[in-house]
Amino acid sequence: MRNRIREQRIQRELSQADLAEGLAVSRQTVISLESGRYLPSLPLAFKIARFFDMTVDKMFDPEEEEAGA
Amino acid sequence: MMSFIPPRLRKPLYRTLAGLLIAGAWAIGSSGAGRWPLTVVIAVASLGQGVIRYAWAGEDTDEGALLGSRADERQQLVGQQALALAGKIALSAAYIGVLVTLAVKQSDVWPFLAMFAITGFGYLLGLSNYGSGEPAADDGMTARHHARSPVSW
């Protein structure tokens, strides 16, 4: 599943540590989320989407990976 | 009680206390020249590993977060997966222990059997607690489906 976390973070000129602090998760988790190695829980997915003022389906796109695979 | 102990100190403290209990058990159960020297060695080693764990708990890593009781959801998942792997290894080790002791010295089999049984019981307890014990709930639709079957004979 692709996500737009990295793209949105860079757009807002935030470091991974800043985002980690904003989401109350560790920097390692932000790295895992951005690389797509970790799929967040539903509450965390909503938290991420709200943090970037987006909807969950705009932030996470399962079809993008399927198209790329 | 836990809230009085700083999160970073909790796990290192519990591991240290566990080690000190082993030292105490050794002191109670042993006799002769090796009693106190080994008790002191175990106690010092326990304190040492506690200090190392405390230092490790301060690091900005997944292991540090788990040790420092500040793990987020992914880190907790990592911890659970590691614990599950440890359980599988313990169960396998107990089974191998049962096999080997049955073949070599049958009178010593009971500690391995006990460990095998306890680990297996723990797994069943986990199933019961985290899912398989879930009662079948009425979804509010079953009765209606039964009343109006789309299949007619």
Side-chain angles (χ1 to χ4, degrees):
Chain A
M1 183 179 299
R2 290 272 177 87
N3 66 64
R4 297 191 165 77
I5 298 174
R6 185 178 168 81
E7 171 197 312
Q8 289 297 318
R9 176 177 65 76
I10 290 170
Q11 211 172 7
R12 286 165 172 76
E13 296 180 351
L14 292 169
S15 68
Q16 288 178 330
D18 294 334
L19 179 57
E21 199 183 325
L23 297 173
V25 297
S26 64
R27 195 176 46 81
Q28 291 84 0
T29 294
V30 169
I31 295 167
S32 291
L33 285 166
E34 285 188 351
S35 65
R37 281 198 310 272
Y38 175 64
L39 290 177
S41 66
L42 204 50
L44 181 57
F46 271 98
K47 204 172 181 180
I48 293 166
R50 282 190 188 129
F51 184 87
F52 290 116
D53 255 337
M54 291 175 80
T55 57
V56 172
D57 65 319
K58 289 264 164 47
M59 181 58 76
F60 299 93
D61 191 351
E63 284 172 16
E64 271 192 38
E65 190 188 43
E66 283 161 22
Chain B
M1 186 189 127
M2 274 181 60
S3 59
F4 294 110
I5 306 168
R8 185 178 165 183
L9 189 59
R10 276 177 209 154
K11 285 182 183 168
L13 184 67
Y14 295 153
R15 302 297 191 280
T16 304
L17 288 176
L20 291 176
L21 281 176
I22 290 175
W26 171 263
I28 292 167
S30 63
S31 56
R35 184 182 188 180
W36 293 113
L38 199 55
T39 303
V40 171
V41 167
I42 297 170
V44 169
S46 301
L47 291 170
Q49 63 91 30
V51 171
I52 290 167
R53 279 177 198 270
Y54 181 75
W56 199 1
E59 288 184 8
D60 183 22
T61 59
D62 288 344
E63 294 82 3
L66 282 165
L67 267 173
S69 303
R70 57 172 192 283
D72 62 27
E73 62 170 47
R74 184 189 61 83
Q75 291 166 328
Q76 283 175 12
L77 183 67
V78 169
Q80 285 168 2
Q81 287 170 331
L83 204 57
L85 180 64
K88 283 179 190 170
I89 291 171
L91 195 62
S92 304
Y95 178 69
I96 291 167
V98 169
L99 286 184
V100 171
T101 46
L102 276 179
V104 177
K105 195 180 176 189
Q106 294 186 350
S107 61
D108 289 341
V109 76
W110 69 266
F112 293 105
L113 265 180
M115 200 170 127
F116 190 65
I118 290 167
T119 318
F121 177 74
Y123 177 72
L124 292 176
L125 192 67
L127 283 182
S128 160
N129 274 353
Y130 304 121
S132 71
E134 197 71 26
D138 178 17
D139 64 359
M141 294 298 289
T142 313
R144 205 182 303 177
H145 281 302
H146 281 290
R148 298 192 314 149
S149 172
V151 181
S152 57
W153 298 95

